[in-house]
Amino acid sequence: MNMMSATECLLQMCDEHLELEDYASGVPRWCTGCGDNAILAAVQRLCRDEGLRPEKTVFVSGIGCSSRFPHYMKTYGFHGIHGRALPIAEGVRMARPDLNVFVNTGDGDCCSIGAAHWIHAIRYNMNITVFLHDNQIYGLTKKQASPTSPIGTKSNTTPRGSYLEALNPLSVTLGVQNVSFVAQAVDWIPEVLFDIVRAAYHHKGLSFVRIVQRCPEWLPASLDPWLHDPNRVQLLNHENGLQSSAGLSRVYRNQLQHDPSNIDRAREIASSTDTVPVGILYRNPEVPCYEDLRRIDELRTPELTRAGLNAELDKYTVWPQEQKEMVA
Amino acid sequence: MNETTLQQSIKKTSKKSELTAIKPAPITLKEHIVEIISDSGEGAQKCGQSLGSIAAQMGNGIWTTEIIPAEIRPPARSVAGASGNRIRIGAGRITNGGDETDLVVAFNEQVLLGRVRAKELKPGCVILLESMWRAHADPKVVASYIETYDALVAAGYKVYEIPMELECRNHVADAKRGKNMFALGMLCYIYSLELKLAVDQIVQTFGKKDRSVVDANIRLLEAGHQWAQDNLDFCYCIPAQRSTEPQIVVNGNTALALGVLASGMEICAMYPITPATSASHYLSEVFEKVGGMVHQAEDEIAACAFAIGASYASKCTVTITSGPGYSLKQEAIGLAVMGEIPLVVVNVQRGGPSTGQPTKMEQGDLMTAIFGSHGDAPKVVMAPGTIEECFYSIITARKIAEAFNMVVVVLTDAGLATSQQPFPRPKFSESWMAPPIDQSPVPEGARPYDWDETTGLARRFIPGQPGGMHALTGLAHDRDSHVAYDAEINEQTLRFRSLKLAALQKTLKAPAVFGDRKGDLLVIGWGSTKGAIEEAVETMRAEGQKVSSTHLQFLQPLPPGIKEIMQGFKQVMTIENNWSDRPEDQIIDETNRRYSSLAILLRSRYLVDIDCWSEVKGQPIKPSTIRRVMNEKLKK
């Protein structure tokens, strides 16, 4: 066995250590002040801090502003079609348990055109980290109401204000069987955003992170009441969840002790409308992952295939008489 | 059943036969078409399948076709409720379901009426009819039975009334469930098939169950055989020649699934849809044994997207569907085309459009397969023409998908899906399987879409390969997979993706010609019509007609050499199982006639006046129909 000298060891560590820029690709074409930038910064930091191998990491997205995300990561990326990021990511996960799989999806992508896949992705509970970039509006198609737009939102398709109550992605997610991780972050508190992204990454199962984010272009003032009044942000703390730092606690005094294993309480917190809960609402590491339930231990080798195919063919074979007797 | 019981029963049988009438000499036949029909759930399907397998083991050529009602449980004794199986047994190789039925076993007169009205029975054919209805408690049933019986006899059918249920009651308590084995016993006698083979079938089918079930079924089988011997005044013999090579007898869907096993693909993503689902049922049963898995997705789109995700990150994956599901997958298929992700999509066609005729056969999706998905989305389209080709086409499709990073669509149909035909047992070759995925570092400077100027081919980077990181996108993109805002780059990449089809076309062989290369009429077909067209051509050639046919397995790209083949004939036409406007309709003329799919393709490619004839009856086109059409064409 070759032993490395201490210097060699150090050199290799330096080689393998990656900096933020090693995960960055291109210049994001998001608007100034767009919440997507904050999410990108948090995720690149996660990759660096956790030392994720770029070639072993895949970001899958759908269509929309947020779904440009993979283009700005120097990892593998799959910028797919509208609403279908989740099933594509599930296919990647099933085929490749060795990869880190992330999904970036928007409120239109996930909660409208891809809603069916969203429900089922929670139920499959595959080990995928999902970021719902929720800016409550369709941005790339230039301002149409989305399912999460607050009632009364004026947009190009709802010039007199949107007609329906907004869909609550947290409540929906928490209502689906097999839910295993639900958290909420806001783009304007990067420290907590990062903590949540990291906790989501470390959770085994489908971690669903809704990130409430600003759209400076189409809904510039819609989140102002929450931005300007720290008391309308409620930080969720728990020894089994996140712990707010002292600095943060000085600004955000509205804090709640919440045990993330309590799903009933999580559902109550999720449905509050005047404050934005920020933190981990629910976490259950015991929910089985679909890929583990379905994983085949047998390697698909030619030998196995030959034996398996021949065993099947035997069931349907009409042998010539003499061979049949031989087989018998 | 153990050997002793079997010998005892055979002894018993032979002893009894000495006492009864002398067996009439069997009439030798070249071929016969037999049908067994009943209400749903009475086991006619099983009886028919067993008869087919026994005949195949005897060395006869067979083709079995399922007779399926559209509903799971149609009302009992209904004209539309016929469920069963149709078996064409021949002295030589049989390539299709053939024409009308020669002999039918019916468990009630209503399902029989359905078949008579569908003109599926040969005039004057033999009918073995369950007679219990004559003594039924309900006078309406009795009246209906007598009326039908009298009408059939008057119409010239040779109707034999058989107390099947009554006879079965001598052997089992619940005669309704075992009647099919009694029928199988009768048929074994009628066609001089070895009863031992039928016993083997029963042991194979019910072997896992209680011994008493096996024994009861064997008793019924023997009873049926004995009854037929004692009471029928005819029996047949279709000479058989046992094959020297092992053959396998499966339907098209099972063949597809076996092809998936053999191809080395690891994941099949699907959503339930008739008539494709049975392929996935079978695969679900066996795939895991060889390290594969079937994923039942939440919908058709998700099934396709899941398959694409798996293909992107690993080996080529397959998704199996039918018409409506194929429509739903179009956007995702376009993504695979754009991202150049290998993918095999199987479409077991059914009647369309919309929900159409889920259990019926049609070749209506050729145009959708070739031109489906918005924009220019070139993909490969193949269509197996036999059960055997269902197996091998999946292996070929997987190879092409990975060699060219393309979507390969395999079109079969409800006819192939449910028909059985023996073919030589495949001998597994390691070359059928995909090699392990490339995880080596990407060479310095290599680009994710480094298209070859001549062939349009580019090497694919797979996640896990160091240095190959890029964001695959459904947007127009350049060689670095960067979003192309430049229309010129978009045009170039359209060219590269299209060139791949041309590159594949250069590797294809010209299709074979069935018959002479020169003559009066050439018929071109595709998919499941192969056997019927070739049989019709063979018959007509034997009568001295100068006709030939050619059958296309590749529809996109079309193989080379078709034009040269067509030049040898005075007239060329396609025969297809999809819609074409009828020239005899008052307002149809050359300026508005919509041709059948393949005819449109060939006319546009070769600028030749190719005619077409088509029928959309939801079932295979009969060889006799094809002969009639060709004869009419020759007169023109």
Side-chain angles (χ1 to χ4, degrees), chain B residues 291-312:
Chain B
M293 67 92 73
V294 175
H295 171 62
Q296 181 181 327
E298 60 270 26
D299 61 35
E300 291 280 1
I301 298 172
C304 198
F306 190 100
I308 288 171
S311 273
Y312 155 75

Side-chain angles (χ1 to χ4, degrees), chain B residues 229-249:
Chain B
Q229 189 171 338
D230 294 349
N231 294 282
L232 293 181
D233 56 359
F234 67 94
C235 74
Y236 305 122
C237 172
I238 303 169
Q241 191 171 16
R242 278 187 204 256
S243 168
T244 51
E245 290 292 313
Q247 306 268 316
I248 68 164
V249 185

Side-chain angles (χ1 to χ4, degrees), chain B residues 389-545:
Chain B
E389 284 171 18
C390 286
F391 175 81
Y392 288 104
S393 64
I394 296 289
I395 297 166
T396 310
R398 202 277 303 154
K399 284 190 180 181
I400 292 172
E402 285 195 345
F404 292 83
N405 292 334
M406 286 188 91
V407 175
V408 182
V409 182
V410 178
L411 290 176
T412 71
D413 59 46
L416 283 174
T418 56
S419 298
Q420 291 187 319
Q421 181 197 26
F423 64 89
R425 178 179 161 123
K427 292 189 183 77
F428 175 74
S429 157
E430 278 189 26
S431 69
W432 293 351
M433 292 186 66
I437 55 167
D438 188 358
Q439 291 287 277
S440 64
V442 165
E444 195 82 32
R447 305 164 88 180
Y449 290 97
D450 215 357
W451 294 291
D452 181 85
E453 279 293 332
T454 311
T455 61
L457 288 166
R459 181 185 155 185
R460 167 168 94 103
F461 294 171
I462 299 171
Q465 285 191 271
M469 290 82 74
H470 68 285
L472 181 145
T473 177
L475 282 164
H477 49 266
D478 62 15
R479 286 177 193 266
D480 294 314
S481 197
H482 291 158
V483 179
Y485 296 99
D486 180 342
E488 203 171 312
I489 293 177
N490 186 46
E491 196 181 55
Q492 277 177 23
T493 59
L494 281 160
R495 173 174 156 254
F496 290 134
R497 287 191 297 271
S498 186
L499 277 175
K500 292 197 290 183
L501 270 184
L504 171 62
Q505 191 260 1
K506 294 285 177 205
T507 70
L508 298 181
K509 281 189 279 190
V513 178
F514 187 82
D516 286 342
R517 295 187 72 92
K518 278 196 178 354
D520 296 331
L521 176 62
L522 174 75
V523 170
I524 308 183
W526 65 281
S528 63
T529 51
K530 186 176 185 178
I533 291 177
E534 291 184 354
E535 183 175 318
V537 166
E538 192 173 22
T539 312
M540 287 176 68
R541 291 181 62 80
E543 292 163 4
Q545 306 270 38

Side-chain angles (χ1 to χ4, degrees), chain B residues 272-390:
Chain B
I273 188 165
T274 303
T277 319
S278 69
S280 304
H281 288 178
Y282 176 55
L283 214 46
S284 302
E285 193 71 37
V286 300
F287 207 7
E288 293 183 15
K289 291 179 197 159
V290 298
M293 67 92 73
V294 175
H295 171 62
Q296 181 181 327
E298 60 270 26
D299 61 35
E300 291 280 1
I301 298 172
C304 198
F306 190 100
I308 288 171
S311 273
Y312 155 75
S314 184
K315 292 177 192 169
C316 178
T317 299
V318 61
T319 179
I320 304 178
T321 188
S322 181
Y326 189 72
S327 291
L328 282 164
K329 292 180 196 294
Q330 289 309 309
E331 191 196 8
I333 287 173
L335 171 66
V337 171
M338 190 59 138
E340 304 193 38
I341 300 166
L343 181 71
V344 176
V345 185
V346 179
N347 176 353
V348 184
Q349 299 166 98
R350 63 192 226 183
S354 190
T355 312
Q357 293 200 295
T359 59
K360 304 288 186 210
M361 169 179 177
E362 196 178 304
Q363 299 181 302
D365 299 349
L366 179 56
M367 290 312 210
T368 317
I370 294 175
F371 300 110
S373 208
H374 59 279
D376 186 52
K379 43 203 151 339
V380 179
V381 179
M382 301 172 64
T386 62
I387 309 295
E388 183 176 25
E389 284 171 18
C390 286

Side-chain angles (χ1 to χ4, degrees), chain A residues 55 79 124 290 300 312 318, chain B residues 247 261 282 295 298 464 472:
Chain A
E55 72 273 14
H79 178 202
Y124 296 134
Y290 180 73
R300 186 99 158 90
E312 284 313 305
V318 176
Chain B
Q247 306 268 316
L261 278 196
Y282 176 55
H295 171 62
E298 60 270 26
L472 181 145

Side-chain angles (χ1 to χ4, degrees), chain A:
Chain A
M1 192 178 149
N2 285 328
M3 293 292 283
M4 268 194 282
S5 71
T7 323
E8 279 174 330
C9 205
L10 205 64
L11 278 171
Q12 190 180 342
M13 275 171 66
C14 285
D15 254 10
E16 283 173 3
H17 180 75
L18 299 173
E19 290 300 335
L20 278 180
E21 44 279 19
D22 293 317
Y23 295 98
S25 170
V27 179
R29 295 197 180 204
W30 291 313
C31 306
T32 308
C34 171
D36 287 332
N37 293 295
I39 301 168
L40 182 66
V43 170
Q44 286 175 347
R45 188 178 152 198
L46 172 84
C47 292
R48 182 198 60 186
D49 288 7
E50 298 293 337
L52 301 189
R53 299 302 311 170
E55 72 273 14
K56 291 279 195 182
T57 305
V58 185
F59 285 85
V60 183
S61 67
I63 293 295
C65 292
S66 60
S67 293
R68 290 298 180 101
F69 197 97
H71 289 281
Y72 309 134
M73 294 296 299
K74 206 187 272 175
T75 60
Y76 279 89
F78 194 129
H79 178 202
I81 45 176
H82 203 16
R84 321 298 169 201
L86 286 165
I88 291 170
E90 288 154 11
V92 173
R93 173 93 257 157
M94 192 69 231
R96 294 292 300 275
D98 58 319
L99 301 177
N100 307 301
V101 185
F102 295 87
V103 166
N104 299 89
T105 177
D107 39 309
D109 201 53
C110 175
C111 308
S112 195
I113 192 169
H117 310 310
W118 169 30
I119 306 295
H120 289 275
I122 296 159
R123 189 166 161 255
Y124 296 134
N125 192 43
M126 299 181 86
N127 192 13
I128 299 171
T129 309
V130 180
F131 302 122
L132 169 61
H133 302 224
D134 189 353
N135 60 2
Q136 300 104 51
I137 197 81
Y138 284 85
L140 201 61
T141 49
K142 300 193 191 321
K143 201 179 187 183
Q144 296 83 25
S146 93
T148 61
S149 299
I151 188 165
T153 300
K154 288 193 173 165
S155 76
N156 284 320
T157 47
T158 54
R160 289 166 295 283
S162 59
Y163 310 99
L164 302 173
E165 282 290 348
L167 179 148
N168 182 335
L170 299 177
S171 301
V172 172
T173 307
L174 284 164
V176 180
Q177 208 70 29
N178 279 350
V179 60
S180 74
F181 185 103
V182 179
Q184 178 156 274
V186 291
D187 71 15
W188 61 90
I189 316 180
E191 180 183 333
V192 184
L193 172 61
F194 174 74
D195 287 346
I196 289 173
V197 163
R198 188 171 54 186
Y201 165 73
H202 283 290
H203 172 73
K204 187 167 185 294
L206 187 120
S207 18
F208 181 83
V209 182
R210 181 201 189 198
I211 302 153
V212 179
Q213 65 170 99
R214 288 163 291 176
C215 177
E217 184 70 16
W218 306 122
L219 294 177
S222 73
L223 292 172
D224 281 358
W226 286 270
L227 259 161
H228 296 149
D229 181 0
N231 279 330
R232 293 191 69 180
V233 171
Q234 185 175 52
L235 295 183
L236 306 177
N237 289 325
H238 196 266
E239 54 182 1
N240 296 327
L242 303 178
Q243 300 281 13
S244 304
S245 67
L248 205 61
S249 297
R250 275 198 291 278
V251 183
Y252 295 99
R253 289 160 192 273
N254 182 358
Q255 300 198 359
L256 182 72
Q257 281 293 313
H258 167 61
D259 178 356
S261 67
N262 187 342
I263 196 164
D264 294 331
R265 190 74 188 101
R267 284 173 180 150
E268 277 175 44
I269 296 167
S271 57
S272 72
T273 46
D274 49 338
T275 59
V276 180
V278 169
I280 300 171
L281 285 93
Y282 183 63
R283 176 164 57 198
N284 178 1
E286 303 301 318
V287 181
C289 294
Y290 180 73
E291 69 268 38
D292 295 337
L293 298 173
R294 301 302 315 275
R295 181 148 302 142
I296 313 304
D297 292 327
E298 305 282 4
L299 264 182
R300 186 99 158 90
T301 58
E303 296 70 38
L304 190 68
T305 301
R306 181 195 303 275
L309 180 69
N310 281 335
E312 284 313 305
L313 292 176
D314 283 349
K315 292 184 192 167
Y316 305 108
T317 301
V318 176
W319 297 99
Q321 202 58 30
E322 62 279 17
Q323 281 193 34
K324 189 179 175 182
E325 277 150 16
M326 265 166 54
V327 170

Side-chain angles (χ1 to χ4, degrees), chain B residues 66 107 144 148 196 207 209 217 224 349 385 466-467 484 529:
Chain B
E66 286 178 22
F107 288 9
S144 148
T148 307
K196 165 87 171 67
K209 293 190 184 168
N217 276 292
Q349 299 166 98
T529 51

